[in-house]
C-alpha cells in the first residue's frame, strides 16, 4: 500500500471490493431453517482435485475441472456467468450447481420420480402436496410415495404451513442432506475401520433404509453376516447388538428426532416421549440432539442367530422376512428409529485430517500427541467449538498410548514445537498444570482450506501463479508493481498470470479512490484474495465437477448399454451353468460369445467407470474440507 | 519520404506527448501532478480528448499495462472445451480407495433394487414379459410401509376395500382408491355390470398406478381380467362355422379354419 497522503475525502476510502464477482456465492443472511444436519469437519491436508490419467477421458475430466462443460454453458456461452444462478426467492442457499448435483444423486439412488419431486422441492422451497403434484404433473400417488421416501431418508422435512396450523402441510427438501449421499462410502468404510465388519454392515443398512429400528437392523445384519460365513456357522444376535451399542455409545448412531406435532393431539405410543412440548407448533423442527434420550439404547432382548438365505428358499425367505418384520414389532422397541449421526462422522473425519496434517508437517510423535489430545476432548468439545477444552501437559502425559513412551521433558518440547508452528494447530492457553494446551480447531480448518486453495491454483496454473496467489493471501492488498517485486517474477509474466487468475475469479481487484469522484485516473487498483469467498467459489466448482463426472458416467453407460446387457446375460448364463455343474467346454463356448474386441471394449468401459467413480469419491474429500471450513466461519 | 514523416509526426503529436508523460515516470507524484494540470480530463471520454486517438480515462501504468503491450482483446465467448495447460494430478491409489470404490458401486446397485427406488409408470404391456417375473424376484422387500407415526397423515395412500363384484371373483382384496361404489351397487344388475366393468377398468388403472403395493398374484389376476375385457374370445369362430358345433377335439387342437 502506498504511504502517500490521500487526496480528497477520507470518507471515500471504501473497503468493500468494487469489482468482486463472487457475489453469487456470498453468505446468505439466513442459513439454517429446517435442516438439522450441520456439516462437520474432516479433511486431508493437501486436498487436490485429482483427475484420472487415462488417455481417453483425461481431457474430458480435466475440462470438468475447468468447469466449462455444463449444459447451461452451451446455452449461455460464457463459463463465468453460469454461477450467477440463484433461483427464486425461496431457495436462497441453494445454487444451481448444488441443485443439479442433488438431482443426479437422487436419480441414481432413488429413481426418476423421486428426482423430479426432489429437484422441484429444492428449487421452489416449501410447498404443499397439491402444489407439488400440479406443478410437476405427477400423479398424486407417486408424489406421496416420493415424499415418503424423501422423508424416510431425512432429505425432506414437513411442517405446518405458513398460514398457521390449519393450513396444509408444507414440505421442504434439504440440499445438504442429499449431498451426503455422495459420502456414504466414506462413512461405511470408517465404520469398518472402527468397528469391523459388523459395524460396517450396521451403518450400511441404516444408511440404505434411512432409519430403522434396532431389532430390524440386528436381524438384517445377522442374516447378511451369516450369508457370508461358511456353512454351518451363523452370527449371534448378541454380537451384532454389542456392535450396535458401541456405535450408539460413541454417538455414531442416534435416535430419530421426535416429530413436531402439527396441531393434532399427540398420539405417539413410543416409549421415547418427545421432549419438546406438543402444544405450540414449533417453527423449527426439533433436532435429534434436543431429545435427551438421543443416545439411549432401548431395553430389548434379542436372542437368536442369523438365518442363512438359500436360493431355493427365496420365496419362503421373503415371507419369512415379512414374518420377521412382524416379530420385530413385538420386540418392544417399536417406534424407536435410529439414524446415522453424520455430524459425529464429520467430527471424526476432521480429527483425522488434523492428525494427518500434523504427521506430514512435523512427525509421527507429534501427530500421536495431537491424537491423544483430540481423543481426550471428544466428549467435551461441542460441534461448533473453535478450540478444544484446555488440557494440561500432565494429563496429556498420562493419556499417551503406552507404545509411545516418551519422557516428560521431550513431551514438553514437542508441545512447544507444536505451539510455535505457523500452522497453529495447537495453542497454549495457560501455564498451570505444566502448561494448558488446546487444539485450535477453527484455525486448523482455515489453514487446511488455505492449503487446498493454494494447491488448486498450483495444479491449474503453475507454481509461479501459485506463488503470486500465496503472496496475495498473506499480504492482503498489493499493487501490480508490488506483486512483481515481491514475487520476483518479470513484469510481463506477472501481469499475465494475474489477469488469468483475475479472469477465473480467484483474485479480485479492489479500487481505492483518492478523490470523492472516484476518477479512474486517481484511483489505486489493488489485487487481493479473500479466502472465504474463494473457498465458496471452489466449493461450487467441486459440485459442478462431481455433477459432470456423474453425467459422463451415465453417458458412457448409456453408450455401451447393449454391450453391458450382453455381458450381464452371459455372466448369468455362466453362473447358472456352473451351479448346475457343466463341463468346461460348455463354459468356454459360452464365454466365446463375447468376441475379443468386445471384451476389450468392455474392459475399457469398466476402467473408465471405475476411474470416474473413484474421482467422485476423492473430489468429495475436498468438498468435505471446504464445506467444514465454510461452516466453521459461519458460526462466529 | 520526408513529407510522409512529417505528416505522421503531426498526427501522432498528441499521442506522443501523452506517451512521454506516462512512460518512464513511475513516480506517483509526477503522474498525479501531470494529471492535475488537466482538471477537465476526467470528464472527457477517450474520443473527445485524443481527437480520435485511443486514450484511457485512467492511469494504465497502475495496472501494469503500457501502450506497447496491451493484453489481447477477446474475440468472442470462451471456448467450450478450453485447452488445459497442466496435466492433472493422478488419482490416489490404495486399498482404501479401492474399497470405497467397490462400496460405492455396490450401494448404487443395491439401492436400485430397494423399494425406495420408485419407478415411473411403465405402461404395462399386454403380456407380462417373462423377465419381469425374475426381475421382480430380485427386488429386495418389494413392499415397504413407513411408520406412519413419523409421517404426516396425508401421505398415507387411501385404502378402501373393494365391494363384492359379480364379474370376476377377486381372490384377494386389492387396495385401490375408493370410488363411489354405493351408488353403483344400488342400480340394476345390468347397469351394475356395465358400471362395475368401467369401474374395474379405472380401478385397474389405479392399481397399476399403485404398483408396488399389490401382490404378485393380484397382478396376475388383473392380467386375466384384462384379457377377459378383450373382444377376443378363447375359441375362434368364423362365419359359416357351426356355432358351438366345433367339437372339443377340434378346439383342443387349435383354431378352426
Amino acid at each position: 500500500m502506498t504511504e502517500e497522503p490521500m487526496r480528497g475525502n477520507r470518507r471515500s476510502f471504501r473497503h468493500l471490493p468494487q469489482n468482486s464477482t463472487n457475489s453469487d456465492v456470498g453468505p446468505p443472511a439466513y442459513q439454517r431453517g429446517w435442516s438439522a444436519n450441520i456439516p462437520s469437519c474432516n479433511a486431508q491436508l493437501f486436498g487436490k482435485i485429482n483427475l484420472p490419467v487415462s488417455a481417453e477421458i483425461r481431457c474430458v475430466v480435466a475440462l470438468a475441472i475447468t468447469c466449462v462443460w455444463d449444459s447451461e454453458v452451451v446455452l449461455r456461452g460464457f463459463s463465468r456467468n453460469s454461477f450467477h444462478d440463484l433461483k427464486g426467492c425461496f431457495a436462497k442457499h441453494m445454487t444451481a450447481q448444488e441443485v443439479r448435483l442433488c438431482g443426479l444423486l437422487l436419480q441414481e439412488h432413488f429413481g426418476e420420480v423421486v428426482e423430479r419431486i426432489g429437484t422441484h422441492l429444492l428449487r421452489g422451497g416449501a410447498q404443499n402436496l397439491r402444489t407439488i403434484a400440479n406443478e410437476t404433473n405427477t400423479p398424486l400417488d407417486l408424489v406421496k410415495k416420493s415424499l415418503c421416501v424423501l422423508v424416510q431418508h431425512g432429505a425432506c422435512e414437513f411442517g405446518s404451513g405458513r398460514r398457521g396450523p390449519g393450513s396444509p402441510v408444507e414440505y421442504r427438501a434439504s440440499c445438504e442432506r442429499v449431498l451426503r449421499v455422495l459420502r456414504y462410502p466414506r462413512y461405511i468404510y470408517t465404520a469398518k475401520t472402527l468397528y469391523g465388519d459388523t459395524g460396517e454392515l450396521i451403518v450400511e443398512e441404516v444408511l440404505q433404509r434411512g432409519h430403522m429400528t434396532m431389532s430390524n437392523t440386528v436381524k438384517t445384519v445377522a442374516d447378511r453376516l451369516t450369508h457370508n460365513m461358511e456353512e454351518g456357522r451363523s452370527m449371534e444376535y448378541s454380537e451384532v447388538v454389542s456392535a450396535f451399542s458401541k456405535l450408539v455409545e460413541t454417538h455414531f448412531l442416534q435416535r430419530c428426532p421426535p416429530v413436531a406435532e402439527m396441531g393434532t393431539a399427540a398420539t405417539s405410543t413410543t416409549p421415547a416421549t418427545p421432549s419438546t412440548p406438543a402444544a405450540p407448533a414449533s417453527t423449527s423442527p426439533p433436532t435429534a440432539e434436543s431429545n435427551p434420550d438421543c443416545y439411549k439404547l432401548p431395553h430389548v432382548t434379542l436372542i437368536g442367530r442369523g438365518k442363512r438365505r438359500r436360493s431355493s428358499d427365496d420365496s419362503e425367505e421373503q415371507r419369512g422376512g415379512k414374518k420377521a418384520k412382524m416379530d420385530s414389532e413385538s420386540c418392544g422397541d417399536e417406534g424407536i428409529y435410529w439414524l446415522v449421526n453424520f455430524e459425529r462422522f464429520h467430527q471424526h473425519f476432521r480429527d483425522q485430517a488434523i492428525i494427518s496434517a500434523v504427521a506430514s508437517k512435523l512427525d509421527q510423535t507429534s501427530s500421536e500427541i495431537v491424537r491423544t489430545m483430540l481423543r481426550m476432548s471428544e466428549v467435551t468439545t461441542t460441534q461448533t467449538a473453535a478450540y478444544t477444552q484446555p488440557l494440561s501437559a500432565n494429563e496429556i502425559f498420562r493419556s499417551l498410548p503406552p507404545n509411545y513412551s516418551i519422557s516428560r521433558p521431550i513431551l514438553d518440547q514437542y508441545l512447544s514445537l507444536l505451539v510455535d508452528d505457523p500452522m497453529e494447530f495447537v495453542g497454549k492457553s495457560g501455564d498451570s498444570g505444566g502448561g494448558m494446551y488446546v487444539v485450535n480447531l477453527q484455525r486448523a480448518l482455515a489453514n487446511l482450506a488455505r492449503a487446498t486453495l493454494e494447491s488448486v491454483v498450483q495444479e491449474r496454473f503453475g507454481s509461479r501463479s501459485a506463488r503470486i496467489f500465496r503472496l496475495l493471501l498473506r499480504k492482503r492488498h498489493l499493487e501490480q508493481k508490488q506483486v512483481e517485486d515481491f514475487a520476483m517474477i518479470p513484469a510481463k509474466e506477472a501481469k499475465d498470470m494475474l489477469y488469468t487468475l483475475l479472469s477465473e475469479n480467484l483474485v479480485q481487484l479492489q479500487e481505492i479512490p483518492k478523490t470523492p469522484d472516484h476518477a479512474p485516473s486517481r484511483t489505486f487498483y489493488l489485487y487481493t484474495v479473500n479466502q472465504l469467498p474463494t473457498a465458496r467459489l471452489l466449493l461450487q466448482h467441486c459440485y459442478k465437477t462431481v455433477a459432470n463426472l456423474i453425467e459422463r458416467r451415465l453417458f458412457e453407460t448409456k453408450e455401451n448399454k447393449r454391450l453391458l446387457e450382453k455381458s450381464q446375460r452371459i455372466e448369468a448364463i455362466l453362473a447358472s451353468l456352473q451351479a448346475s455343474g457343466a463341463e468346461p467346454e460348455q463354459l468356454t463356448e459360452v464365454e466365446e460369445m463375447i468376441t475379443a474386441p468386445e471384451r476389450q471394449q468392455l474392459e475399457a468401459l469398466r476402467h473408465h467407470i471405475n476411474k470416474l467413480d473413484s474421482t467422485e469419491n476423492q473430489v468429495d474429500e475436498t468438498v468435505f474440507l471446504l464445506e467444514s471450513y465454510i461452516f466453521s466461519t459461519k458460526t462466529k | 519520404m520526408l513529407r510522409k514523416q512529417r505528416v505522421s509526426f503531426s498526427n501522432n503529436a498528441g499521442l506522443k506527448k501523452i506517451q512521454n508523460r506516462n512512460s518512464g515516470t513511475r513516480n506517483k507524484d509526477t503522474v498525479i501532478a501531470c494529471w492535475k494540470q488537466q482538471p477537465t480530463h476526467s470528464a472527457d471520454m477517450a474520443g473527445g480528448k485524443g481527437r480520435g486517438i485511443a486514450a484511457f480515462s485512467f492511469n494504465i501504468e497502475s495496472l501494469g499495462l503500457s501502450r506497447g503491450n496491451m493484453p489481447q482483446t477477446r474475440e468472442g465467448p470462451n471456448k467450450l472445451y478450453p485447452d488445459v495447460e497442466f496435466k492433472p494430478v493422478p488419482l490416489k491409489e490404495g486399498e482404501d480407495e479401492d474399497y470405497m470404490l467397490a462400496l460405492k458401486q455396490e450401494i448404487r446397485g443395491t439401492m436400485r433394487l430397494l423399494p425406495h427406488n420408485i419407478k415411473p409408470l411403465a405402461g404395462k404391456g399386454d403380456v407380462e414379459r417373462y423377465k419381469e417375473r425374475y426381475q421382480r424376484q430380485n427386488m429386495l422387500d418389494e413392499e415397504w410401509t413407513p411408520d406412519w407415526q413419523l409421517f404426516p397423515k396425508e401421505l398415507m395412500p387411501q385404502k378402501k376395500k373393494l365391494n363384492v363384484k359379480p364379474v370376476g371373483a377377486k381372490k384377494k382384496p386389492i387396495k385401490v382408491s375408493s370410488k363411489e361404489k354405493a351408488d353403483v351397487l344400488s342400480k340394476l344388475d345390468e347397469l351394475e355390470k356395465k358400471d362395475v366393468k368401467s369401474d374395474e377398468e379405472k380401478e385397474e388403472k389405479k392399481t397399476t398406478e399403485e404398483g408396488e403395493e399389490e401382490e404378485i398374484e393380484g397382478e396376475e389376476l388383473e392380467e386375466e381380467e384384462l384379457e377377459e375385457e378383450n373382444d377376443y374370445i378363447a375359441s375362434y369362430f368364423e362365419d359359416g362355422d357351426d356355432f358351438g358345433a366345433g367339437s372339443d377335439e377340434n378346439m383342443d387342437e387349435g383354431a378352426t379354419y
Side-chain angles (χ1 to χ4, degrees):
Chain A
M1 279 280 285
T2 176
E3 276 106 35
E4 263 199 347
M6 292 293 165
R7 293 174 201 271
N9 205 341
R10 279 238 164 225
R11 267 178 280 139
S12 60
F13 196 115
R14 281 202 235 140
H15 295 274
L16 295 171
Q18 304 268 332
N19 297 339
S20 165
T21 42
N22 280 337
S23 54
D24 57 303
V25 291
Y30 147 78
Q31 177 68 22
R32 310 262 167 238
W34 293 67
S35 166
N37 289 314
I38 303 172
S40 179
C41 343
N42 194 353
Q44 10 152 228
L45 171 60
F46 296 108
K48 300 187 194 237
I49 299 186
N50 295 305
L51 295 168
V53 188
S54 86
E56 291 86 64
I57 49 177
R58 182 202 311 143
C59 284
V60 156
V61 180
L63 291 167
I65 305 297
T66 56
C67 301
V68 177
W69 178 26
D70 180 10
S71 54
E72 294 159 310
V73 171
V74 177
L75 297 174
R76 291 209 199 90
F78 288 95
S79 61
R80 255 202 292 183
N81 296 334
S82 64
F83 287 116
H84 294 273
D85 275 324
L86 276 181
K87 300 268 192 250
C89 48
F90 296 107
K92 279 201 179 75
H93 50 286
M94 292 167 196
T95 64
Q97 299 302 329
E98 286 176 7
V99 173
R100 177 174 163 230
L101 179 56
C102 287
L104 284 168
L105 287 172
L106 284 174
Q107 181 186 346
E108 287 226 295
H109 293 269
F110 298 113
E112 293 163 7
V113 182
V114 178
E115 186 251 329
R116 214 180 326 151
I117 311 281
T119 33
H120 185 78
L121 272 177
L122 285 168
R123 287 212 176 100
Q127 294 162 58
N128 61 5
L129 186 59
R130 287 276 155 194
T131 328
I132 300 172
N134 291 339
E135 288 181 13
T136 53
N137 292 328
T138 329
L140 202 59
D141 303 328
L142 283 183
V143 176
K144 286 184 188 175
K145 279 189 202 170
S146 322
L147 286 173
C148 280
V149 170
L150 285 172
V151 174
Q152 168 85 10
H153 280 83
C156 172
E157 281 162 0
F158 56 89
S160 53
R162 271 162 269 175
R163 277 167 273 153
S167 59
V169 178
E170 285 197 342
Y171 302 90
R172 190 185 293 223
S174 154
C175 193
E176 29 172 322
R177 175 59 184 88
V178 180
L179 290 174
R180 297 281 160 267
V181 175
L182 199 52
R183 214 168 285 155
Y184 279 4
R186 201 168 172 198
Y187 297 136
I188 299 173
Y189 186 65
T190 309
K192 183 188 171 85
T193 51
L194 291 175
Y195 295 109
D197 286 339
T198 324
E200 173 198 3
L201 283 183
I202 292 176
V203 171
E204 188 179 335
E205 282 295 319
V206 178
L207 278 176
Q208 277 179 353
R209 305 274 172 165
H211 52 75
M212 290 176 84
T213 57
M214 175 167 155
S215 37
N216 215 353
T217 320
V218 166
K219 286 189 184 123
T220 326
V221 170
D223 289 345
R224 275 182 76 174
L225 283 170
T226 313
H227 188 65
N228 290 336
M229 284 172 155
E230 322 132 1
E231 287 287 333
R233 292 188 50 199
S234 64
M235 190 70 183
E236 278 270 358
Y237 279 4
S238 54
E239 287 179 42
V240 184
V241 168
S242 73
F244 194 96
S245 23
K246 269 190 259 175
L247 279 167
V248 172
E249 272 163 24
T250 45
H251 293 205
F252 282 107
L253 290 176
Q254 63 184 173
R255 286 200 193 186
C256 276
V259 178
E261 296 303 331
M262 291 166 297
T264 58
T267 51
S268 76
T269 54
T270 64
T273 53
S275 56
T276 56
S282 47
T283 44
S284 66
T287 62
E289 298 282 331
S290 60
N291 184 353
D293 291 336
C294 188
Y295 299 111
K296 204 166 80 159
L297 281 171
H299 296 294
V300 175
T301 45
L302 286 165
I303 305 171
R305 307 186 77 91
K307 291 184 253 299
R308 185 174 293 278
R309 210 180 139 102
R310 295 183 200 289
S311 49
S312 55
D313 296 338
D314 261 346
S315 53
E316 290 172 30
E317 194 62 47
Q318 277 179 12
R319 263 176 245 134
K322 286 178 200 162
K323 251 195 234 158
K325 269 187 221 154
M326 288 193 290
D327 282 341
S328 76
E329 287 172 7
S330 54
C331 252
D333 70 339
E334 171 189 356
I336 307 180
Y337 292 95
W338 297 88
L339 291 175
V340 170
N341 185 2
F342 294 120
E343 300 157 34
R344 179 68 183 86
F345 273 105
H346 294 165
Q347 218 177 353
H348 184 261
F349 295 161
R350 176 197 69 195
D351 294 347
Q352 259 182 359
I354 295 178
I355 292 167
S356 68
V358 173
S360 57
K361 185 125 204 274
L362 298 175
D363 75 337
Q364 189 67 20
T365 319
S366 12
S367 78
E368 283 303 319
I369 295 174
V370 176
R371 189 199 299 266
T372 315
M373 289 174 76
L374 285 169
R375 206 177 354 108
M376 287 161 64
S377 34
E378 248 172 16
V379 279
T380 52
T381 316
T382 55
Q383 259 316 299
T384 54
Y387 37 80
T388 61
Q389 296 291 331
L391 298 165
S392 73
N394 298 331
E395 285 174 5
I396 300 173
F397 184 65
R398 274 197 296 267
S399 322
L400 276 179
N403 46 344
Y404 268 94
S405 54
I406 53 177
S407 62
R408 185 57 203 275
I410 303 224
L411 171 71
D412 287 335
Q413 282 179 358
Y414 267 112
L415 283 170
S416 59
L417 264 177
L418 279 166
V419 169
D420 290 335
D421 190 70
M423 290 289 262
E424 289 179 326
F425 288 120
V426 174
K428 188 162 183 181
S429 73
D431 286 319
S432 61
M436 302 293 279
Y437 296 94
V438 291
V439 178
N440 292 323
L441 297 167
Q442 250 178 14
R443 222 167 293 167
L445 272 177
N447 285 330
L448 289 174
R450 183 172 48 80
T452 310
L453 299 182
E454 289 169 7
S455 123
V456 166
V457 172
Q458 180 165 348
E459 294 303 328
R460 277 183 71 184
F461 301 105
S463 53
R464 295 163 106 192
S465 304
R467 207 189 318 161
I468 294 178
F469 188 79
R470 277 195 290 267
L471 186 67
L472 286 170
L473 264 177
R474 277 162 181 76
K475 296 243 179 210
R476 305 301 178 95
H477 298 277
L478 286 178
E479 275 188 328
Q480 167 75 41
K481 178 128 190 350
Q482 288 171 311
V483 169
E484 291 162 21
D485 291 341
F486 282 127
M488 293 181 285
I489 295 176
K492 253 194 222 173
E493 296 172 26
K495 207 187 338 161
D496 233 348
M497 291 175 195
L498 266 174
Y499 288 154
T500 320
L501 289 175
L502 189 63
S503 67
E504 298 279 342
N505 281 344
L506 291 162
V507 159
Q508 281 88 48
L509 201 56
Q510 175 158 343
E511 303 169 1
I512 301 190
K514 296 180 222 172
T515 56
D517 62 353
H518 292 268
S521 57
R522 291 187 286 274
T523 316
F524 289 117
Y525 293 94
L526 302 174
Y527 292 99
T528 182
V529 175
N530 293 322
Q531 189 170 332
L532 187 56
T534 316
R536 284 182 206 275
L537 173 72
L538 269 188
L539 184 60
Q540 297 303 316
H541 277 247
C542 287
Y543 289 142
K544 183 171 178 178
T545 307
V546 180
N548 284 350
L549 287 166
I550 296 179
E551 286 213 17
R552 178 68 194 202
R553 178 165 44 83
L554 292 174
F555 171 76
E556 294 260 337
T557 320
K558 203 163 64 152
E559 280 260 299
N560 296 293
K561 195 164 115 162
R562 189 197 68 84
L563 192 57
L564 274 173
E565 278 177 359
K566 179 174 174 184
S567 82
Q568 276 168 4
R569 255 185 292 132
I570 290 185
E571 274 174 30
I573 296 174
L574 273 177
S576 64
L577 275 182
Q578 272 179 344
S580 58
E583 298 128 24
E585 293 100 26
Q586 280 181 318
L587 293 176
T588 45
E589 198 182 307
V590 170
E591 277 170 11
E592 276 165 20
M593 282 167 64
I594 308 184
T595 64
E598 279 182 347
R599 227 177 265 279
Q600 264 183 349
Q601 208 179 339
L602 264 180
E603 195 47 49
L605 175 69
R606 269 197 204 112
H607 179 70
H608 289 172
I609 292 187
N610 284 348
K611 276 264 190 264
L612 288 168
D613 265 331
S614 195
T615 313
E616 283 172 41
N617 280 341
Q618 297 188 21
V619 174
D620 180 64
E621 293 177 11
T622 312
V623 165
F624 171 75
L625 174 57
L626 293 173
E627 270 183 0
S628 46
Y629 162 62
I630 291 171
F631 176 69
S632 73
T633 55
K634 269 195 205 116
T635 51
K636 268 186 198 151
Chain B
M1 288 285 270
L2 260 171
R3 213 172 283 158
K4 274 188 192 165
Q5 280 177 356
R6 241 181 279 138
V7 164
S8 61
F9 184 79
S10 64
N11 276 344
N12 290 339
L15 178 62
K16 279 207 175 144
K17 277 187 202 155
I18 296 169
Q19 271 183 337
N20 283 336
R21 277 203 207 103
N22 286 347
S23 64
T25 56
R26 305 265 169 172
N27 196 347
K28 289 276 174 323
D29 277 339
T30 36
V31 165
I32 293 166
C34 289
W35 286 121
K36 258 191 102 175
Q37 291 163 14
Q38 301 159 37
T40 59
H41 172 80
S42 59
D44 278 332
M45 295 306 291
K49 169 67 183 159
R51 283 171 216 90
I53 296 164
F56 294 91
S57 63
F58 57 94
N59 182 12
I60 307 179
E61 288 301 328
S62 68
L63 284 175
L65 300 172
S66 65
R67 290 258 166 225
N69 44 356
M70 296 284 291
Q72 284 174 337
T73 52
R74 285 172 70 115
E75 282 140 9
N78 273 337
K79 278 202 276 187
L80 190 56
Y81 297 104
D83 305 322
V84 176
E85 289 173 2
F86 296 91
K87 297 284 179 277
V89 180
L91 288 174
K92 283 197 290 189
E93 301 280 338
E95 56 168 275
D96 293 356
E97 278 75 34
D98 291 340
Y99 195 82
M100 284 204 269
L101 170 68
L103 268 176
K104 185 183 173 79
Q105 292 177 336
E106 204 189 294
I107 289 174
R108 216 169 38 225
T110 331
M111 288 191 85
R112 281 211 188 104
L113 301 175
L114 284 177
H116 294 281
N117 197 328
I118 298 179
K119 315 265 187 296
L121 305 169
K124 266 186 171 286
D126 303 324
V127 181
E128 182 186 334
R129 303 275 160 210
Y130 183 73
K131 67 175 181 188
E132 279 177 13
R133 185 177 293 181
Y134 287 91
Q135 275 180 358
R136 231 178 273 125
Q137 271 190 2
N138 275 341
M139 304 267 290
L140 311 170
D141 304 335
E142 190 163 312
E143 290 189 12
W144 163 65
T145 37
D147 180 9
W148 296 111
Q149 298 288 345
L150 299 174
F151 287 72
K153 300 284 181 263
E154 65 176 4
L155 289 184
M156 287 170 70
Q158 306 302 316
K159 295 174 203 170
K160 283 205 187 152
K161 302 215 171 168
L162 286 179
N163 295 315
V164 177
K165 293 195 302 200
V167 178
K170 296 208 183 222
K171 289 163 199 165
K172 291 189 185 167
I174 300 179
K175 299 169 187 158
V176 292
S177 303
S178 63
K179 304 286 274 182
E180 292 163 336
K181 299 281 191 299
D183 301 336
V184 169
L185 283 178
S186 66
K187 290 180 186 171
L188 296 173
D189 281 351
E190 289 166 2
L191 264 177
E192 200 180 30
K193 264 194 192 170
K194 267 193 239 164
D195 284 342
V196 168
K197 257 196 194 168
S198 59
D199 278 344
E200 270 180 14
E201 286 170 15
K202 285 182 206 163
E203 280 149 18
E204 275 152 2
K205 279 186 208 150
K206 289 281 177 182
T207 49
T208 54
E209 285 174 3
E210 292 286 345
E212 289 145 19
E213 289 189 8
E214 290 169 339
E215 307 274 353
I216 299 177
E217 294 99 58
E219 286 173 4
E220 283 174 5
L221 273 177
E222 269 184 35
E223 300 293 327
E224 292 163 21
E225 294 270 356
L226 276 174
E227 281 163 14
E228 277 177 20
E229 294 298 327
N230 289 342
D231 292 333
Y232 296 111
I233 318 172
S235 57
Y236 291 86
F237 293 102
E238 298 281 341
D239 284 338
D241 287 345
D242 292 332
F243 182 90
S247 56
D248 285 318
E249 298 137 25
N250 280 350
M251 285 179 50
D252 284 343
E253 284 163 18
T256 54
Y257 293 98

